[in-house]
Amino acid sequence: MMGDARHRRGSGGHHPYNDVPILSVDCPPWMEEGRCAQTDPEAFFPEKGGAHGLAKQVCFSCPVREECLEFAIENRERFGIWGGLSEIERRPLLKARKGVAA
C-alpha cells in the first residue's frame, strides 16, 4: 500500500493528505477590526524574553482592545499579547475572575 501511495504521489495522482479535513475556525467578528490584522503576527508572539513593545503599541490604539483582552481571559490564552497584555500580565485578571466565580 505504501508503495502505491508513493507511486501515485510521484505521478501526480491522489495525495493522501487530500482526504484530511481542513480545520475551520470561526473567529469572532471583532477580530477583523483589530489593528493586529495589519501587523506582522510575530510581533504578538515574541520569543521568550523578546520585545513586545510594537505589539502593545498596536493594541493600545486598537478599537477592539477590550474585546480582545476579554477573549484572551475567557479562553485562557497562554501565549502572545492580547488586548495589550502578555500572559503574565493577564494572570492577575484571570485569578481575580476565578475568585469571583468561586
Side-chain angles (χ1 to χ4, degrees):
M1 182 91 164
M2 259 324 239
D4 291 333
R6 274 187 255 146
H7 174 71
R8 284 187 297 213
R9 252 187 291 178
S11 64
H14 178 78
H15 191 281
Y17 292 128
N18 288 346
D19 297 328
V20 176
I22 296 173
L23 178 63
S24 174
V25 177
D26 291 327
C27 294
W30 58 262
M31 280 190 178
E32 294 177 15
E33 299 173 35
R35 294 242 162 88
C36 57
Q38 294 91 36
T39 308
D40 182 0
E42 289 188 26
F44 297 90
F45 297 93
E47 296 288 327
K48 187 173 182 173
H52 45 27
L54 173 61
K56 288 186 172 201
Q57 185 177 19
V58 170
C59 290
F60 287 125
S61 64
C62 184
V64 294
R65 179 177 178 239
E66 290 180 26
E67 292 91 334
C68 182
L69 181 57
E70 183 64 27
F71 178 86
I73 293 170
E74 284 181 7
N75 292 284
R76 292 173 170 68
E77 287 290 341
R78 294 184 55 215
F79 303 100
I81 306 299
W82 291 81
L85 300 180
S86 68
E87 188 270 336
I88 292 171
E89 294 167 324
R90 291 190 301 271
R91 277 186 205 161
L93 299 174
L94 181 58
K95 285 181 183 179
R97 191 165 295 184
K98 283 182 182 177
V100 170

